Amino acid sequence: MGHTTNHPLSFQFLDDEAAIQWLAENETHMQTLLSCVTRGDLEGVEAAISQVPQGILAEPLAGDILRHTKNLVIILIHLLKQAAIAGGAHHLLCGQLEARFLQHIEESRAVPEVCRLADEAKRTFCRQVAVPRGRAVSDPRIQRAIRYLEDHLNQKITLQQLAAQAGLSREYFCTLFHQQTGKTVFAYLRWARVQLAKEMLATTETSLAAIASLLGFSSQSHFQRVFREVEGGTPFLYRRRAWREQGSLF
């Protein structure tokens, strides 16, 4: 590969040296934007969008302005994902958002469309930070267990693992967990998986089968059954309503 640099806003897999140079020259703007995303500051993100530095459409070294713009936005999307995760957004959801934005960016045929997707990505990743994860609990031991549970929704989680995170015996952990959350550990796990599924349904085009697999359900039918039990409706109807209310991202 061509250009190699240790600059924090560079990606060594890119050959577009003009894109890397632009990011280096506009590091202050990028850091301000990413900081807003990490804080979930939508007003700050909107301000950053309105103040985007000049030069994003400067002539690329290779002469391909569309490819040059896509390369810039590819880097941007990855940095937005990292900033959102740092702010508390779920890594599984952010990974799906990144994949979908990158797919639509690569499918784009014109620079204005790529730029529109870039701005929508800034807003979308920022919004995920504002989405509450879990239910408020006062005991830091249960907080640690819940954070571990939510970070491993796609894996098998045992009571012993969660109790160890809390530093409690399994029996006392189950009692305290129910006191703090109003749910059994099993019920909370199902609830948390469905809450993350709702975000994926509303903000990505990920299929129901893929969501089921990502979130540790044994099958799509199992996912649909649990979703209906928790939410009172089907994932398909939830997605259709969410997209109608907010408009499809893509």
Side-chain angles (χ1 to χ4, degrees):
M1 289 290 171
H3 186 68
T4 58
T5 174
N6 293 322
H7 192 277
L9 297 182
S10 69
F11 276 38
Q12 293 188 13
F13 65 81
L14 288 177
D15 285 323
D16 189 341
E17 295 187 21
I20 294 171
Q21 180 66 25
W22 185 90
L23 287 164
E25 291 173 353
N26 294 282
E27 181 173 2
T28 298
H29 173 83
M30 290 294 295
Q31 295 295 359
T32 298
L33 169 65
L34 297 174
S35 178
C36 288
V37 171
T38 298
R39 297 194 309 272
D41 180 2
L42 281 169
E43 289 186 4
V45 166
E46 290 296 339
I49 289 173
S50 67
Q51 297 167 7
V52 63
Q54 298 299 310
I56 190 170
L57 303 182
E59 183 178 354
L61 299 183
D64 185 344
I65 193 168
L66 179 59
R67 181 70 263 166
H68 165 66
T69 306
K70 286 182 177 182
N71 285 352
L72 280 174
V73 178
I74 287 170
I75 297 174
L76 171 66
I77 297 296
H78 187 77
L79 294 173
L80 289 170
K81 180 189 77 169
Q82 292 178 319
I85 291 173
H90 202 287
H91 65 96
L92 293 176
L93 173 60
C94 288
Q96 290 300 297
L97 286 171
E98 178 184 39
R100 297 309 294 165
F101 272 113
L102 293 186
Q103 177 182 341
H104 285 278
I105 287 163
E106 289 298 347
E107 291 171 350
S108 297
R109 301 295 185 183
V111 167
E113 176 64 12
V114 177
C115 293
R116 184 193 71 79
L117 286 167
D119 288 344
E120 189 57 42
K122 297 168 190 176
R123 299 182 179 101
T124 300
F125 279 103
C126 185
R127 289 190 195 104
Q128 303 318 306
V129 176
V131 175
R133 291 181 60 187
R135 295 190 173 182
V137 298
S138 59
D139 194 301
R141 297 168 295 182
I142 302 303
Q143 290 174 356
R144 289 197 302 270
I146 287 177
R147 173 60 67 178
Y148 181 87
L149 179 150
E150 292 181 340
D151 285 342
H152 297 81
L153 289 176
N154 59 332
Q155 302 173 21
K156 281 192 173 183
I157 305 173
T158 67
L159 282 175
Q160 194 60 47
Q161 286 174 311
L162 293 174
Q165 292 294 316
L168 301 170
S169 68
R170 190 169 68 173
E171 292 73 18
Y172 184 57
F173 169 73
C174 290
T175 299
L176 186 59
F177 190 95
H178 190 272
Q179 290 175 351
Q180 289 280 306
T181 67
K183 292 179 178 291
T184 66
V185 175
F186 176 69
Y188 190 96
L189 175 60
R190 291 184 358 138
W191 177 84
R193 282 176 169 158
V194 168
Q195 301 317 299
L196 183 54
K198 287 167 62 179
E199 290 301 315
M200 290 186 180
L201 290 166
T203 59
T204 77
E205 295 169 296
T206 307
S207 69
L208 298 189
I211 291 175
S213 178
L214 279 169
L215 298 184
F217 292 98
S218 59
S219 65
Q220 180 177 331
S221 61
H222 179 217
F223 164 55
Q224 291 174 302
R225 183 173 70 253
V226 172
F227 192 97
R228 180 187 288 273
E229 291 171 356
V230 173
E231 291 295 318
T234 68
F236 174 78
L237 290 177
Y238 181 86
R239 168 171 273 169
R240 187 169 68 177
R241 183 172 66 252
W243 283 12
R244 184 171 63 246
E245 290 175 353
Q246 65 187 13
S248 175
L249 289 176
F250 307 108

